[in-house]
Amino acid sequence: QVQLVESGGGLVQPGGSLRLSCAASGSIVSINFMGWYRQAPGKQRELVATITRSGSTNYADSVKGRFTISRDNAKNTVYLQMNSLKPEDTAVYYCNADQYLGSWNRRYQYWGQGTQVTVSS
């Protein structure tokens, strides 16, 4: 199994910045990508950003140019640097990991517990 623990959420003013962290532990082999999702009140959960093992990144249009996803393989941690935050960024942010065990043709997805990000003046 893979365990994901998010941290770094909090309350910031519009235009401010936050850096979210997601630490992975357990059977972390064969994780082909990790990502960040968010769910705002009254809205569906949406993808924010992903990063593959090769380092390729992808962002939702709503955060492109403001958010940056990165990784630290030595720490088994993925980050989400959020700049120029807007009130509409307010949501619970969830870390996600996708694991593919090719020898057994098995795919698993894991989720963190979520961390609250509130952007308000």
Side-chain angles (χ1 to χ4, degrees):
Q1 297 185 28
V2 173
Q3 292 76 233
L4 304 174
V5 179
E6 303 105 328
S7 62
L11 173 65
V12 296
Q13 294 183 331
S17 298
L18 282 175
R19 185 178 178 87
L20 305 183
S21 299
C22 174
S25 62
S27 301
I28 59 175
V29 296
S30 301
I31 295 178
N32 55 50
F33 75 88
M34 297 183 69
W36 289 94
Y37 293 72
R38 68 185 182 186
Q39 187 166 22
K43 296 184 178 180
Q44 292 183 287
R45 187 173 299 185
E46 63 177 347
L47 186 147
V48 177
T50 60
I51 184 167
T52 68
R53 291 187 63 84
S54 63
S56 297
T57 58
N58 190 51
Y59 300 91
D61 289 340
S62 59
V63 307
K64 194 171 298 182
R66 300 188 297 119
F67 292 9
T68 302
I69 188 170
S70 61
R71 62 182 180 179
D72 186 334
N73 291 331
K75 297 181 179 180
N76 297 317
T77 300
V78 64
Y79 305 93
L80 184 68
Q81 178 67 46
M82 305 184 294
N83 298 325
S84 302
L85 284 162
K86 305 174 181 179
E88 50 263 44
D89 294 318
T90 296
V92 177
Y93 284 71
Y94 298 91
C95 182
N96 168 263
D98 184 274
Q99 181 183 56
Y100 178 61
L101 302 177
S103 297
W104 297 271
N105 193 30
R106 302 292 188 184
R107 187 180 299 277
Y108 303 93
Q109 289 196 73
Y110 303 91
W111 295 90
Q113 81 286 352
T115 184
Q116 177 70 49
V117 172
T118 302
V119 185
S120 176
S121 59

